Amino acid sequence: APRTVRFTMWGGLDEALGVRVQPNAPSSTPPTRDEAATASGTQPAPKRAPFNLFDFFGGLDAALGVSVNPKQPSPSAGAAAQVLHVTPAPTQTLRSVFQPGRTVDNTEPPLVVLVHGLESHSGTWDALMSRFAASKEPSPSFLAVDLRGHGLTPVGEELDFGPATLARDVMACVTAHNASAEKFILVGHSMGARVATRLVADFPNKVSHLVIEDMDARQFDGTKYFGEQWRVNGFEYVKARGFCQSGESIHEVASALVGAAGPGTFQKDRVDGYVARGRVFAAPNGRGFSLIHPLGFALACDTVLVSDDMQLALEKIAVTQGLRDRLDRSNHDVCSIHLWRAPELSGQSSAALAPGEKGGVAWILATIGEHNIHDTVFPNSGHSVHNDAQEAYENALRLLAFTGTPATFEQ
């Protein structure tokens, strides 16, 4: 029978994981493809094959593969259109945790895939999964992933980092676990909701229900968090690349994390919060380890949160669903979308109605249409709805997974 896999970290695993990234050049921005191609004289050192964490611990994940499909340039007047062929880049192997479900009649339980947000990892879902494991009620199976550059998953190639690549990482990981090939329920929290939305847009026949937890599609303004200097200089990528996730002590790692992506990033009180929540922790032998990686953080901000990709993904989903509805009005095979968010008045929600603003909740509802989207505000919750309203979240997710019923609360 499938088993839940948990991990205990100890010092020195960072070298085996290959998570220590040395600066490539004295630049504050990521290298471009042209810069990489014209780098001086010496040949770059051959890249070490990524460490397969699950070969080491017992084999959950397989090697995965990713494809990047850039926009085609418009041909000039009178010139024949040129087709750009891109060799697929390998997908980053994701660290994941699987928890088997159960049903009253021993049939295959539905699969729920959980995608964390920025500055987080798969462990954010531990309390929710533990509630399901302890309950006598039926439970779906769970697959919680560490996105690349988060938790125990290495950053991989910086130039490949982006919403579509992250979505393909998740889809490949799901394929390796989902032997039945049945549709699954996809839950994305915060930044992870943007990745999940892109996955549904690019793989329209794989997901039955998409839960967007406390996130809208507006473009992220980093100046609110990192100050005006961020608008001018951005993140310090060289510094972020030099961060090592392990150290002699938790104090050493936590101290190195402060400001590790430039001014305004990873302030001390925030790092202290990581320590309190176990995202920076001490192993039994006293060595420190960080599940937060500044390089993954910077790349996720720049390519996922600052971009308009979630807007484009939602528009693509709307077009796909609209075509299906016109072809077959009785078609119930489309992915239904569920907005599970905190009250705006809590001051902690990242999903605002924002009428008239592209990407706000009002825009999302209008774009998808009332038949395929359900908007639910969880009372007394903050940004992390799944941790702040655990009982309500558990009940809502169980009902959705087994019956497809949207969450509702009396107003």
Side-chain angles (χ1 to χ4, degrees), residues 7-11 248 281-289:
F7 302 98
T8 300
M9 298 300 303
W10 57 85
E248 292 298 324
F281 61 92
N285 65 356
R287 287 182 61 86
F289 195 89

Side-chain angles (χ1 to χ4, degrees), residues 41 44 114 179 185 199 221 226 244 267 271 278 290 358 368 377 410:
L114 304 170
I185 298 94
L199 188 154
D221 181 6
F226 312 123
C244 180
Q267 295 177 352
V271 174
S290 173
K358 187 171 185 179
I368 298 299
V377 176
E410 294 183 4

Side-chain angles (χ1 to χ4, degrees), residues 19-30:
V19 295
R20 184 167 187 167
V21 183
Q22 298 295 339
N24 292 326
S27 170
S28 62
T29 57

Side-chain angles (χ1 to χ4, degrees), residues 4 17 87 139 173 192 253 366 375 390:
T4 303
L17 285 171
T87 303
S139 170
C173 187
V253 174
D375 182 27
Q390 292 183 17

Side-chain angles (χ1 to χ4, degrees), residues 359-399:
V361 170
W363 177 89
I364 295 174
L365 295 172
T367 299
I368 298 299
E370 61 182 6
H371 298 297
N372 293 323
I373 193 166
H374 309 275
D375 182 27
T376 305
V377 176
F378 280 67
N380 305 315
S381 68
H383 179 55
S384 184
V385 182
H386 61 278
N387 282 319
D388 295 335
Q390 292 183 17
E391 182 177 0
Y393 202 100
E394 176 194 355
N395 293 336
L397 188 54
R398 179 179 286 107
L399 197 62

